[in-house]
Amino acid sequence: MRGVARAPASCGELAQGLLADSHVMVTCPIDRYATATVVLREGAGQVSGPVDCPKAIRAVALTLDRFGLDALDAALSLESPIPRGKGMASSTADVVASVAATAAALGRAPDAELEADIALSVEPSDGTMLPGIALFDHVGGRVRRRLGTPPPIEILVLEFEAVLDTVAFNAIDHTTALRSRSTSFRESLSMIEAGIASADAELIGRGASLSSSTYQDVLAKPELPQVLALAEAAGAVGVNVAHSGTAVGMLFSADAERTEWAASQARSRLRGLREVHRQRLIGGGSEMLCRPSRGERRC
């Protein structure tokens, strides 16, 4: 039995902070994907896969266990163009795609709640498995609020040379720092929610920019002032960041000419810039690419 599924990357988050006692993020899924293929056979419960993707292998094993089929053998393969260590949800995309592909091989539909549960049992995770844009507790999963479908927004993803050890960063308790910035986070969240509800890209961009600037004292990005200035000159609606990574995004209201000008200026003006990716803000959620037909063992 064979299943194939994909899950989106993110350009960091639209906002991140503390809400009551929960560490939450507003997701920022983009149209770049990790694709997983899972082949299941009768066996002794052995799960194999890429040696550099132990989290995804564990996710396959946990999925089979959840369905009471942990005696099956599973072979996982992954393809992903998502940069690692940049805050672009590469690990979450691997894990979610792997869960969805395992479910597909079993003839089951994608299940965002299952994907979230398993991803969080592996590590703190981005909420990009949830449909649309979502408010997500990336540590405990207690908050899973779907905010709606985003309006057309193009994101210029700026990938810098620096990488961040997200496991080490997430091991630090940032609660005190975030609590002191909770008023600003709520303001960011309010603007983003209103922007999604009214399909107003500028409101979403303002909320993202506020969160980006507020978070500088938690995880500084030396290049952020330059990016903000460039975004203003280019007519971007806002700037967002990877709050536990190094990626930065410039948000445009579907204006190809402005976006292209900003990309060329970024390449010439921003030190330490490794790559520029032109992506679209999309709704989250895994996508099944192949599943067995009824009565068939292969798709």
Side-chain angles (χ1 to χ4, degrees):
M1 295 182 290
R2 177 175 176 269
V4 185
R6 69 179 188 175
S10 75
C11 176
E13 301 77 33
L14 292 174
Q16 186 165 312
L18 199 67
L19 196 62
D21 293 324
S22 294
H23 293 261
V24 295
M25 62 168 62
V26 179
T27 60
C28 185
I30 58 175
D31 58 341
R32 179 171 285 233
Y33 303 89
T35 301
T37 301
V38 171
V39 178
L40 302 176
R41 296 184 175 87
E42 298 293 337
Q46 299 297 313
V47 180
S48 61
V51 293
D52 59 341
C53 297
K55 298 170 187 175
I57 293 172
R58 176 160 170 73
V60 172
L62 289 170
T63 306
L64 291 172
D65 182 66
R66 183 67 66 94
F67 290 126
L69 296 169
D70 53 341
L72 291 176
D73 282 351
L76 167 69
S77 58
L78 279 166
E79 296 179 8
S80 178
I82 305 170
R84 306 274 171 176
K86 309 293 184 176
M88 295 180 65
S90 58
S91 292
T92 297
D94 286 351
V95 166
V96 172
S98 298
V99 175
T102 306
L106 295 169
R108 299 172 182 267
D111 182 336
E113 296 299 330
L114 172 67
E115 292 164 2
D117 288 343
I118 290 177
L120 288 167
S121 72
V122 173
E123 65 173 353
S125 297
D126 198 286
T128 46
M129 73 290 291
L130 299 178
I133 304 299
L135 181 69
F136 185 67
D137 174 354
H138 52 282
V139 178
R142 292 176 294 178
V143 178
R144 304 180 187 189
R145 186 196 308 167
R146 301 174 190 186
L147 304 181
T149 303
I153 290 177
E154 188 168 9
I155 302 182
L156 206 60
V157 184
L158 306 176
E159 179 193 345
F160 291 91
E161 293 287 352
V163 297
L164 181 73
D165 184 339
T166 54
V167 174
F169 179 78
N170 287 327
I172 301 170
D173 186 358
H174 301 288
T175 302
T176 300
L178 295 179
R179 185 169 286 123
S180 68
R181 294 161 179 80
S182 58
T183 299
S184 177
F185 171 69
R186 286 194 297 272
E187 186 179 349
S188 298
L189 177 60
S190 178
M191 285 191 282
I192 293 168
E193 285 185 299
I196 292 171
S198 61
D200 187 333
E202 290 193 6
L203 257 181
I204 294 171
R206 284 168 52 197
S209 294
L210 176 59
S211 183
S212 300
S213 298
T214 301
Y215 218 81
Q216 278 289 80
D217 291 338
V218 181
L219 179 61
K221 291 179 172 56
E223 65 280 350
L224 184 60
Q226 284 183 284
V227 176
L228 287 166
L230 178 56
E232 183 176 2
V237 297
V239 170
N240 80 306
V241 299
H243 294 73
S244 56
T246 59
V248 179
M250 283 192 279
L251 282 58
F252 291 86
S253 185
D255 188 323
E257 187 175 339
R258 290 177 184 270
T259 308
E260 186 54 44
W261 182 84
S264 97
Q265 291 297 305
R267 292 186 183 101
S268 64
R269 290 166 55 176
L270 298 178
R271 297 181 62 183
L273 186 64
R274 177 177 181 179
E275 192 62 70
V276 178
H277 309 280
R278 288 186 63 172
Q279 309 287 165
R280 289 183 303 110
L281 178 65
I282 62 170
S286 64
E287 180 183 354
M288 188 180 298
L289 303 180
C290 177
R291 66 183 291 180
S293 300
R294 192 166 190 174
E296 300 290 334
R297 295 183 63 82
R298 300 184 69 83
C299 59

